[in-house]
Amino acid sequence: MSEFGEMEELLQDFLLEASELLSEVDNKLVELEKRPNDTALLHDIFRGFHTIKGGAGFLNVNELVALCHRTESLFDKLRNGQLKLTPEIMDTIMAATGVVRDMFQDLSGRQMPGPAQKSLLDALDAAIAGQQAPAAAPKAAASAAQASAPAQGSGPDWNVLYQALVGEATPQPSASPPEPPPAPEAAEPALAPPSRLPAVQNQPAPKETTIRIDTERLDQVLNLSGEIGLTKNRLTCLRADILQGKSDGETLRALDEAVNQLDLLVGDLQNAVMKTRMQPIGRLFQKYPRLARDLARQLGKDVELVISGEETELDKTMIEDLNDPLVHLVRNAVDHGIEDRAEREAAGKPAKSVIRLSATQIGDHIIIEISDEGRGMRPEVIRQKAVEKGIIEADAANTLDDRQSLNLIFLPGFSTKDTISNVSGRGVGMDVVKTNISRLNGRIDVISVPGEGSTFTISLPLTLAILPVLVVGLGRQPFAIPLSLVREIIPIDPEAVQRVSGRATLVVREEVLPIRTLASLIGWPEAGPAAYGVLMQCGDTAFVLAIDNFIGRDDVVIKPLLDIKPKGIAGATLSGDGSIVLVLDMEELLAVGAPSGAQAAFA
Amino acid sequence: MADKNIKFLIVDDFSTMRRIVRNLLKELGFNNADEAEDGVAALHKLHGGGFEFVVSDWNMPNMTGLELLKAIRADAGLKHLPVLMITAEAKKENIIEAAQAGASGYIVKPFTAATLEEKLNKIFEKVGK
């Protein structure tokens, strides 16, 4: 890393900011394809390259400067109407942004990037010189660029000029003007940008270790910690009083007040700290329109990715971990979801198709949806494929309903495409997507209408740090249930319990719900009929969890159990009185205690 | 020698660049600097008072450096402020425009602390600091 030395910190800043800027440029380029004459867009893109070039100059990343200088010059001409945007120029620009991203990648690996391919630089030079088709007329392009290069080199010495204008003696120019682009020497093979783009996107994004926080949010944290300090001082005073035997009503009331206040403040502080980690999901989303566009072009499809809800905020670590699953889903939608042109035409659909990616916050959950208007999935086809690939037995397949059948795509080794394309579909995707989402305490679901398209829905908690729970008791042991799964709390009247095919059920407002006792789920002996039930909604399954008593609700920080991992226990936490509370992992618990293994696996 | 406590306003939409300029100024012993992310924010801060020197980028959204320069020169309370324009554009028109709009100096990215110092000293000489 010695190449950057003390610039290291600056480099990190630059990469963070410039990568965001490049993503914006990428999206504006996708927009520009639709509105090639939009001057505001041209200005913005120009400024983007200009800013990246400026930063790169200070970091002495000369190859990046050389490349951005060309794209910037090209956009300067485009925005001034000296050039017209053609699909060929567009391809060249797209290829160039891909290479800029590669160079960022090199930099984040502490590598000084090498020069961009000569063919790309030549194509850019040719485009700047006004040559429409660099590939078709490489000779002409070369000579044109050669002709333009000296013109740039022999331009006015602006430093001298400036000094002359402001009326001063001419000093030695202290900074040299940007190098004129080297004239291309020989014709090179035609540029083929689209073929290398997916490879660019394939590289794992470097993990960001820094975060940018709105100062207002930090101020709030500071404020609250200050107030907590004050309250602590108050408590210290009161403790001294009480230790000295003061126990009159006023002292106790003051103690009560101070503890209440501390309670509120700590809650606020937790929230405020959590908020510093919250980032708009748009940071992630903004990378995808370009991704979708490049894939679609490569596959000969006309696809637009429409994004909404970019401002929705999510914990930073979750945003990072969401990237891979979302990239996969976007690729999947473009590659498998959307039909090819002929198929769309045959189905009477417009050639252009839209994929929607949205995020919304519902309560303490974030819902991310990605839907295509493609061919959809047929449950019977999925079932058949799953059987053919030996993922499930034919008997088991026949017992699955449509929803369960669709969920088969999340099993390892499943891929509906027989021919593996290089875009997606190696059969290693959807199960990894599901695993990644589950790791974030989230769920993924799919619905599909054959001929009309598919929608993938991801549901995630806002943060992994703090979990609101309902604490219940079984005997004398407290357990915590994630509050997000609790619908309501009901008393269980033994008289009202009915037996349906041998299983205890309870009718709650005309809904027949099975009763599962917590004792049986965790394998404890049942000690008499339970008095209370918690009406739980766990995915699509609703049931009544029978327990002995309630302790209350609480916000807990889960400590994972390191050496032992009992089934159905997500971790442990401490209650206010210091006793250990086990936090239940309901989904795992149900999977373990489910009556039929096959059904449970796909539920 | 210039007063090292003179208060700078660094105007650039790219925060990395603001930091670079701030670091270079620090290297030269100028520790008193504030930042603004575009011309509009800069004017707002300038109206708050206390600034003695503006270092502004040229290319910014909302309000460009040139527009900022013109606004400063048109404002009775601010027009005396020295303004050093930073840009990567080595174009004749730009230089003429900057000079005509009343820029106190002109510096091209990328530059070193030495270059910056030279430019600053020229301006200080001129305004007699």
Side-chain angles (χ1 to χ4, degrees):
Chain A
M1 68 146 275
S2 54
E3 269 191 279
F4 296 100
E6 59 190 57
M7 297 287 243
E8 174 66 21
E9 229 181 294
L10 207 56
L11 177 70
Q12 292 308 325
D13 274 11
F14 170 74
L15 284 175
L16 185 68
E17 206 179 1
S19 302
E20 260 174 46
L21 199 61
L22 188 63
S23 292
E24 274 170 37
V25 165
D26 257 344
N27 280 350
K28 290 196 165 131
L29 286 172
V30 175
E31 284 289 303
L32 192 66
E33 273 194 321
K34 288 176 246 158
R35 304 197 303 275
N37 296 319
D38 190 323
T39 5
L41 275 177
L42 290 168
H43 275 298
D44 285 353
I45 297 169
F46 167 83
R47 204 172 43 238
F49 283 122
H50 178 82
T51 305
I52 293 171
K53 182 181 91 174
F58 278 97
L59 293 163
N60 299 319
V61 192
N62 298 328
E63 300 304 342
L64 187 53
V65 173
L67 180 57
C68 286
H69 178 68
R70 285 176 172 80
T71 49
E72 181 195 315
S73 307
L74 184 54
F75 271 94
D76 194 32
K77 290 203 162 180
L78 287 168
R79 67 176 182 163
N80 293 329
Q82 288 163 278
L83 275 179
K84 248 190 106 52
L85 191 65
T86 62
E88 289 77 25
I89 294 187
M90 199 67 199
D91 279 345
T92 307
I93 296 164
M94 290 284 192
T97 58
V99 175
V100 171
R101 202 175 282 287
D102 281 355
M103 290 188 176
F104 286 175
Q105 192 84 34
D106 288 345
L107 286 172
S108 70
R110 313 285 181 280
Q111 287 274 319
M112 194 50 97
Q117 308 96 307
K118 196 168 169 329
S119 57
L120 174 63
L121 295 179
D122 288 352
L124 282 168
D125 287 338
I128 296 166
Q131 296 288 321
Q132 293 266 324
K139 275 258 157 64
S143 57
Q146 247 154 2
S148 70
Q152 244 182 306
S154 63
D157 184 337
W158 40 268
N159 231 325
V160 177
L161 176 67
Y162 182 79
Q163 300 300 343
L165 280 164
V166 294
E168 274 181 36
T170 308
Q172 280 298 95
S174 40
S176 53
E179 292 273 299
E185 289 138 18
E188 276 207 0
L191 182 70
S195 62
R196 73 179 297 279
L197 287 167
V200 173
Q201 304 280 5
N202 259 337
Q203 293 170 354
K207 277 265 177 191
E208 289 176 9
T209 47
T210 52
I211 189 167
R212 285 205 284 157
I213 302 168
D214 190 340
T215 41
E216 244 174 65
R217 291 187 175 181
L218 270 185
D219 288 347
Q220 213 184 345
V221 170
L222 201 64
N223 254 338
L224 283 166
S225 51
E227 284 195 41
I228 286 177
L230 292 179
T231 313
K232 192 215 81 181
N233 292 347
R234 177 92 189 105
L235 282 171
T236 313
C237 271
L238 285 165
R239 177 181 64 179
D241 285 353
I242 291 167
L243 285 179
Q244 280 165 18
K246 230 177 157 185
S247 61
D248 55 292
E250 199 179 325
T251 308
L252 293 180
R253 211 165 25 249
L255 177 69
D256 186 48
E257 236 166 52
V259 171
N260 275 340
Q261 177 137 20
L262 194 64
D263 197 37
L264 273 178
L265 287 172
V266 169
D268 285 353
L269 183 66
Q270 277 179 344
N271 259 327
V273 170
M274 198 180 84
K275 277 218 168 129
T276 60
R277 300 187 50 90
M278 300 296 261
Q279 302 270 298
I281 202 164
R283 298 246 167 104
L284 198 59
F285 280 9
Q286 66 177 356
K287 298 179 192 159
Y288 303 142
R290 170 75 194 272
L291 176 78
R293 176 247 176 223
D294 287 345
L295 280 188
R297 266 194 75 137
Q298 200 189 341
L299 296 165
K301 297 177 180 180
D302 185 2
V303 177
E304 185 186 352
L305 183 70
V306 176
I307 284 175
S308 59
E310 303 97 310
E311 69 290 346
T312 311
E313 294 194 322
L314 199 58
D315 194 287
K316 179 177 180 279
T317 45
M318 294 178 90
I319 287 188
E320 275 162 19
D321 292 342
L322 266 178
N323 184 50
D324 288 352
L326 286 182
V327 165
H328 191 87
L329 289 173
V330 169
R331 283 164 180 266
N332 204 65
V334 177
D335 191 16
H336 300 316
I338 302 292
E339 311 90 333
D340 56 37
R341 275 172 198 261
E343 199 180 331
R344 281 188 78 83
E345 207 173 308
K349 290 177 164 184
K352 186 189 174 88
S353 56
V354 174
I355 295 175
R356 283 171 211 286
L357 178 62
S358 69
T360 40
Q361 182 175 351
I362 297 176
D364 58 357
H365 272 67
I366 297 291
I367 310 291
I368 298 169
E369 257 187 17
I370 170 157
S371 61
D372 64 64
E373 40 186 37
R375 58 170 75 93
M377 290 182 279
R378 287 198 303 270
E380 64 276 12
V381 174
I382 305 250
R383 274 199 296 270
Q384 196 190 334
K385 290 272 174 188
V387 173
E388 272 170 24
K389 287 174 198 283
I391 296 169
I392 54 165
E393 297 291 317
D395 293 349
N398 289 332
T399 65
L400 300 177
D401 63 22
D402 285 356
R403 214 192 120 262
Q404 289 168 327
S405 303
L406 288 183
N407 275 300
L408 288 170
I409 62 169
F410 295 116
L411 292 182
F414 190 92
S415 169
T416 45
K417 271 222 166 165
D418 291 322
T419 50
I420 287 170
S421 74
N422 63 355
V423 177
S424 59
R426 249 170 257 274
V428 291
M430 282 303 179
D431 61 315
V432 178
V433 169
K434 179 158 183 151
T435 316
N436 284 349
I437 302 284
S438 308
R439 210 171 286 152
L440 299 171
N441 281 346
R443 297 176 43 83
I444 180 164
D445 228 320
V446 57
I447 50 169
S448 188
V449 181
E452 285 179 27
S454 311
T455 300
F456 287 87
T457 307
I458 298 170
S459 160
L460 293 166
L462 274 183
T463 178
L464 297 175
I466 299 161
L467 185 73
V469 294
L470 179 72
V471 185
V472 301
L474 190 61
R476 293 171 64 181
Q477 173 62 44
F479 289 92
I481 306 166
L483 204 60
S484 55
L485 305 176
V486 175
R487 262 168 58 184
E488 62 179 291
I489 292 164
I490 47 174
I492 299 181
D493 177 3
E495 303 283 303
V497 176
Q498 298 171 10
R499 294 255 149 207
V500 176
S501 55
R503 292 172 65 186
T505 57
L506 196 63
V507 179
V508 182
R509 286 187 288 278
E510 294 175 15
E511 195 179 354
V512 183
L513 298 167
I515 300 177
R516 317 283 297 270
T517 64
L518 179 55
S520 71
L521 281 175
I522 58 171
W524 283 17
E526 305 222 18
Y532 300 98
V534 183
L535 211 172
M536 308 272 298
Q537 184 75 42
C538 203
D540 282 354
T541 8
F543 65 98
V544 176
L545 182 73
I547 47 139
D548 290 346
N549 52 59
F550 288 107
I551 295 163
R553 65 139 296 179
D554 207 351
D555 289 330
V556 302
V557 178
I558 302 185
K559 304 280 175 207
L561 300 173
L562 289 181
D563 297 327
I564 42 162
K565 178 73 187 79
K567 281 276 178 202
I569 303 294
T573 187
L574 285 181
S575 75
D577 61 9
S579 62
I580 290 171
V581 180
L582 294 176
V583 182
L584 298 174
D585 180 341
M586 285 317 292
E587 239 166 273
E588 199 177 279
L589 209 55
L590 288 176
V592 172
S596 108
Q599 292 272 359
F602 314 128
Chain B
M1 201 65 242
D3 175 8
K4 296 287 181 190
N5 279 325
I6 152 168
K7 189 169 182 191
F8 283 86
L9 182 65
I10 303 165
V11 193
D12 198 311
D13 56 321
F14 200 53
S15 78
T16 311
M17 191 59 66
R18 294 199 296 270
R19 189 157 155 201
I20 289 170
V21 176
R22 193 191 267 264
N23 285 348
L24 290 175
L25 285 174
K26 216 177 262 177
E27 241 176 83
L28 300 176
F30 299 103
N31 285 313
N32 195 2
D34 197 357
E35 302 177 9
E37 61 186 22
D38 62 28
V40 180
L43 268 188
H44 191 77
K45 289 211 165 171
L46 288 174
H47 282 139
F51 291 97
E52 293 155 277
F53 204 112
V54 179
V55 181
S56 175
D57 187 34
W58 184 293
N59 244 298
M60 290 179 291
N62 293 331
M63 186 185 209
T64 65
L66 189 68
E67 286 161 355
L68 172 66
L69 174 61
K70 286 178 180 165
I72 289 175
R73 292 294 174 247
D75 188 313
L78 302 175
K79 67 178 178 197
H80 64 280
L81 279 177
V83 180
L84 176 63
M85 298 295 290
I86 301 181
T87 180
E89 296 184 64
K91 278 206 210 148
K92 193 170 105 190
E93 313 86 88
N94 289 350
I95 296 161
I96 296 172
E97 254 186 311
Q100 284 174 345
S104 319
Y106 195 92
I107 190 166
V108 171
K109 287 189 269 195
F111 47 84
T112 60
T115 315
L116 181 62
E117 184 169 37
E118 184 190 318
K119 297 272 177 186
L120 290 176
N121 284 338
K122 277 221 164 56
I123 297 172
F124 289 142
E125 272 168 36
K126 213 161 42 174
V127 297
K129 279 249 168 189

